[in-house]
Each structure stands twice: as C-alpha cells, then as structure tokens.
Amino acid sequence: MDRKKFALIKYDHGEPTSLSGVRWMWIVLVLAAAIGALFVFFPVGFVLMIVALMIAQQPKRLYVGPRYLICGRKIVYYANIQKVSMEDSGSRLVLKSSTGKVLVIEQDRFQTGARKPDKIAANKAARFEKVAQKIVKHVRRASPQAVLSGVKDLPSTGT
C-alpha cells in the first residue's frame, strides 16, 4: 500500500486493527526486556511493560485513496458504489456498494486535538465536510451512474 497516494485521517472506526510484523517484533523485544528487568529492577520492568502496551496501541485511521477507501477492515472501491447519501442533517455519509457492503462515516468519530467543546465540534464538522467532499469527488469520477442524495453538488471532473 503506497501511503503517498492516500490521505490518512484519524478516524475511530470502532474495529480492532491488526498489528504489523515490525510492531510485533518491537512488542516481543520490549516484553522480553521487561520480564528480564522485573527480576532485577522492579520499577524499570514495570515501565517497560507500559511501553510495550503503548507500542501495541495502533492508531485508527481512514485511508482515502484515488480508487478505494479503507476504513478498518472494510475496503470500498469507488467504482462499485451505487448510492451515496448524506443522513442525519449532514452528520453521516452512507456509501452503498453493488456487492452489498454498506459503509457509514460519522462526523462524531473523527478525532481532533482541540480541548474546548465548541472547537471540538467545529473541527470535527470541518474535517467531516472535507473528507465527504473528497469521497464524493472520487465516487463521481469512478462511478458516474451512482445515485447521490443529500450531498453538495461537486464537479465530476478534475484532477
């Protein structure tokens, strides 16, 4: 997967993610060091256990590419999408494909670094709008026969 072609967006899709081989190797090495340090120096071993748990936490992301979208364990090709609809007054984007898969992207699941409630809501709304426009643009290019309901009118051509 060439990450240069994908837009990586922090999004809590609610599904468990699998760990890469490199992460597994680091977890095993840190746990081995932690178990060894537990017998000699208790505080150092405890800290290494916490570091191993932090390595195991993989960030949840939404990958928006030029031909398909990856959300957790779901891959949706834009060419297979038959219907795109905006629901709940613009806070949910529902993608229905010809294979029967349904992918729902919700505004509240986007992550933000803001701390104040009004800024959190504004950042999530802005990020959702940007991602939704990008997805609709890709769907229009790849699948011009797709039914769009409730989405803002975007041009179907461009780069």
Side-chain angles (χ1 to χ4, degrees):
M1 176 170 61
D2 188 12
R3 291 182 186 225
K4 293 178 185 176
K5 294 182 181 181
F6 284 89
L8 304 175
I9 298 107
K10 291 181 182 177
Y11 180 78
D12 184 13
H13 45 75
E15 296 179 2
T17 56
S18 61
L19 297 175
S20 66
V22 175
R23 280 191 182 244
W24 276 112
M25 181 187 70
W26 278 106
I27 290 171
V28 169
L29 288 175
V30 171
L31 282 177
I35 291 171
L38 272 177
F39 293 116
V40 181
F41 304 108
F42 179 73
V44 175
F46 187 69
V47 169
L48 285 175
M49 290 279 205
I50 293 173
V51 169
L53 289 175
M54 290 173 51
I55 292 172
Q57 297 295 324
Q58 189 169 359
K60 295 181 179 181
R61 293 189 176 135
L62 181 70
Y63 298 87
V64 180
R67 294 186 318 162
Y68 53 92
L69 171 73
I70 302 172
C71 182
R73 295 184 179 179
K74 295 180 182 176
I75 299 176
V76 178
Y77 289 92
Y78 299 127
N80 292 342
I81 294 179
Q82 290 182 338
K83 184 177 181 183
V84 178
S85 61
M86 189 74 72
E87 296 178 355
D88 291 341
S89 67
S91 65
R92 289 177 48 170
L93 184 71
V94 179
L95 306 170
K96 295 180 183 177
S97 70
S98 60
T99 60
K101 290 183 182 179
V102 176
L103 178 65
V104 179
I105 298 174
E106 298 178 10
Q107 179 176 327
D108 293 335
R109 291 183 173 246
F110 284 94
Q111 298 175 2
T112 180
R115 295 181 183 210
K116 296 181 180 177
D118 55 336
K119 288 195 174 199
I120 290 172
N123 287 351
K124 286 182 178 185
R127 186 164 290 165
F128 174 76
E129 184 69 27
K130 185 177 179 181
V131 170
Q133 286 180 354
K134 188 177 281 195
I135 291 171
V136 169
K137 181 178 77 171
H138 288 307
V139 168
R140 283 201 170 171
R141 275 195 212 141
S143 181
Q145 76 280 2
V147 176
L148 303 173
S149 63
V151 297
K152 292 184 180 178
D153 191 27
L154 296 173
S156 60
T157 59
T159 58

